[in-house]
């Protein structure tokens, strides 16, 4: 939990110093950054509390992304709100006899469905974003669809969810910086590291689960 304390302390210290530099940071973005970092860190450690804390980040980011015209990201925040509540129920009651759901690998059938739906979903969303004059329509659509699929995988505690999170985080870092969301860009660089950690942690837990069944 030290990383969240460090992030929070840094934000508290730098916000009053904004007049001496050209980069403008908002308190709302600071709240979104801290709660989102806390949420992802907990989920990467397989802790269901991350879903609850993430709800705060979801609401604040929906407001922020609307302000900078990343409309697909506003939509994904609403999606996160709904699926986070579902994720809490699935993680805690999605196993046999309503027990905690174990970590598992993505079934081949679900991978095929996701792959088939990916390209037309990105193209369709990009078309909508162009029509409503959204910023960076292709990249916004690509990351939004990728994030939605990753979220659905994470809800089911699939190891493969972290591969997708790694991929979208690599794109999000420069995308948010291009819109002046420097705290958020930095946050997604941290998310990238957390996603890599989550991947290894989920793999290790899955191996432990498999060995315990032998």
């Amino acid at each position: 939990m030290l990383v969240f304390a460090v992030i929070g302390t840094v934000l508290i210290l730098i916000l009053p110093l904004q007049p001496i530099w050209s980069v403008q940071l908002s308190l709302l973005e600071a709240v979104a950054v801290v709660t989102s970092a806390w949420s992802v860190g907990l989920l990467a450690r397989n802790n269901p509390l991350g879903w609850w804390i993430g709800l705060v980040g979801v609401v604040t980011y929906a407001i922020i992304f609307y302000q900078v015209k990343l409309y697909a990201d506003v939509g994904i925040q609403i999606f996160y709100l709904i699926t986070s509540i579902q994720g809490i129920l699935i993680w805690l009651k999605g196993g046999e006899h309503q027990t905690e759901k174990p970590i598992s690998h993505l079934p081949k059938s679900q991978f095929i469905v996701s792959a088939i739906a990916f390209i037309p979903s990105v193209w369709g969303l990009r078309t909508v974003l162009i029509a409503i004059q959204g910023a960076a329509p292709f990249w916004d659509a690509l990351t939004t669809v990728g994030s939605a699929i990753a979220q659905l995988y994470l809800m089911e505690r699939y190891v493969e969810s972290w591969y997708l999170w790694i991929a979208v985080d690599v794109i999000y870092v420069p995308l948010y910086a291009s819109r002046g969301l420097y705290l958020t860009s930095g946050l997604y660089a941290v998310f990238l590291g957390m996603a890599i950690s989550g991947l290894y942690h989920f793999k290790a837990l899955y191996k432990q689960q498999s060995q315990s069944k032998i």
Side-chain angles (χ1 to χ4, degrees), residues 122-173:
V122 171
W123 184 262
L125 182 56
R126 172 183 173 274
T127 302
V128 172
L129 293 174
I130 291 174
I132 62 176
Q133 299 183 333
F138 171 73
W139 296 110
D140 198 9
L142 180 66
T143 50
T144 297
V145 174
S147 296
I149 296 174
Q151 178 81 344
L152 292 173
Y153 287 177
L154 185 58
M155 284 171 57
E156 297 294 335
R157 266 183 172 158
Y158 293 146
V159 173
E160 288 75 13
S161 65
W162 296 108
Y163 287 111
L164 268 178
W165 286 125
I166 290 169
V168 296
D169 289 344
V170 168
I171 300 172
Y172 271 135
V173 173

Side-chain angles (χ1 to χ4, degrees), residues 7 12 41 58 102 119-120 136 189 193 195 213:
I7 292 174
I12 291 172
V58 163
I119 293 178
K213 294 178 181 178

Side-chain angles (χ1 to χ4, degrees), residues 106 109-119 149 153:
L106 176 70
S109 60
Q110 291 194 30
F111 171 75
I112 293 174
V113 171
S114 300
I116 292 174
F118 184 76
I119 293 178
I149 296 174
Y153 287 177

Side-chain angles (χ1 to χ4, degrees), residues 24-159:
Q24 293 299 309
L25 306 176
S26 71
L27 178 59
L28 186 64
E29 188 180 0
V31 171
V33 165
V34 172
T35 54
S36 296
W38 194 1
S39 170
V40 173
L42 288 170
L43 292 174
R45 301 302 298 174
N46 197 38
N47 189 331
L49 180 61
W51 292 112
W52 291 103
I53 295 174
L55 294 176
V56 179
V58 163
V59 173
T60 50
Y61 265 129
I63 299 171
I64 291 168
F65 292 143
Y66 180 79
Q67 293 174 341
V68 297
K69 297 184 178 181
L70 288 174
Y71 299 127
D73 280 338
V74 176
I76 199 68
Q77 297 307 311
I78 297 173
F79 174 78
Y80 285 159
L81 179 65
I82 297 171
T83 53
S84 292
I85 296 172
Q86 292 177 320
I88 294 169
L89 298 175
I90 292 173
W91 277 36
L92 297 180
K93 300 291 184 179
E96 294 183 4
H97 309 297
Q98 292 191 330
T99 57
E100 184 174 341
K101 183 177 178 62
I103 292 172
S104 60
H105 280 285
L106 176 70
K108 184 177 180 180
S109 60
Q110 291 194 30
F111 171 75
I112 293 174
V113 171
S114 300
I116 292 174
F118 184 76
I119 293 178
S121 296
V122 171
W123 184 262
L125 182 56
R126 172 183 173 274
T127 302
V128 172
L129 293 174
I130 291 174
I132 62 176
Q133 299 183 333
F138 171 73
W139 296 110
D140 198 9
L142 180 66
T143 50
T144 297
V145 174
S147 296
I149 296 174
Q151 178 81 344
L152 292 173
Y153 287 177
L154 185 58
M155 284 171 57
E156 297 294 335
R157 266 183 172 158
Y158 293 146
V159 173

